[in-house]
């Protein structure tokens, strides 16, 4: 990871939080951002290994999500 930005997926997590607040905690309205975060973290773990830290644990990435 880059020292200036050790977790490149953190901005996605922040966008999700803002979106959920903006939509009165209706996560369905922000599902596209959740998918982007999962994709980012999957790429992050692939590049840096499963011992690295991302906004979503690797275990959660392997669980089934809404289609």
């Amino acid at each position: 990871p880059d020292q200036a930005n050790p977790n490149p997926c953190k901005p996605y997590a922040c966008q999700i939080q803002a979106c959920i607040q903006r939509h009165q905690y209706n996560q369905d309205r922000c599902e596209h951002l959740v998918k982007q975060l999962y994709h980012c973290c999957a790429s992050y773990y692939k590049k840096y290994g499963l011992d690295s830290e991302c906004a979503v644990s690797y275990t959660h990435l392997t669980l089934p999500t809404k289609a």
Side-chain angles (χ1 to χ4, degrees):
D2 182 349
Q3 291 296 336
N5 189 7
N7 187 341
C9 302
K10 185 177 179 180
Y12 292 109
C14 294
Q15 288 174 14
I16 292 167
Q17 190 173 29
C19 180
I20 288 174
Q21 289 174 352
R22 190 170 51 249
H23 294 290
Q24 290 74 43
Y25 299 92
N26 181 352
Q27 184 174 332
D28 291 341
R29 301 282 307 267
C30 306
E31 193 64 31
H32 65 287
L33 295 172
V34 173
K35 288 180 182 180
Q36 288 176 354
L37 173 64
Y38 277 32
H39 178 74
C40 181
C41 284
S43 297
Y44 186 81
Y45 285 125
K46 185 175 183 179
K47 184 173 183 178
Y48 296 109
L50 301 181
D51 292 333
S52 52
E53 293 184 25
C54 192
V56 177
S57 73
Y58 182 77
T59 306
H60 286 105
L61 289 176
T62 60
L63 295 175
T65 59
K66 291 182 185 179

